[in-house]
Amino acid sequence: GTVTGVQTCALPILPDPKVLVTELADVLTSAEKESIVVMMLSLIAADGQKEPAEMERLNNTAAALGVPEESMRRAYQSYFDSMS
């Protein structure tokens, strides 16, 4: 397709997701990182499927954010508690 002038102007504004996650890792609290994991779990489960690529993305994002294993366990527990 054709890129319009408006789209061209917007392109530099969009941050690189990898850079954004790295920057977030430095400013988010452990609780905020846990919340992101819970939100990602909710998104993964939204269609009733658990795709390997989605779980890989979750694990990669959690690793990039520096989410400790204990926080991952709490996030999973929080997500599954909210389902019952």
Side-chain angles (χ1 to χ4, degrees):
T2 305
V3 177
T4 68
V6 172
Q7 290 168 323
T8 301
C9 291
L11 290 176
I13 297 169
L14 300 174
D16 177 348
K18 290 178 184 177
V19 171
L20 180 61
V21 170
T22 302
E23 290 175 359
L24 286 174
D26 294 334
V27 297
L28 294 176
T29 66
S30 293
E32 290 168 330
K33 292 175 184 180
E34 245 176 77
S35 292
I36 289 172
V37 172
V38 172
M39 285 186 279
M40 289 184 74
L41 286 168
S42 296
L43 288 170
I44 289 168
D47 63 359
Q49 306 279 325
K50 184 173 85 171
E51 302 292 333
E54 293 171 328
M55 296 306 296
E56 182 179 357
R57 175 68 54 96
L58 169 66
N59 291 329
N60 290 343
T61 301
L65 286 173
V67 179
E69 192 61 38
E70 180 60 31
S71 292
M72 287 296 287
R73 280 193 287 278
R74 281 194 307 266
Y76 275 98
Q77 188 64 47
S78 175
Y79 172 74
F80 288 110
D81 286 350
S82 73
M83 299 301 294
S84 50

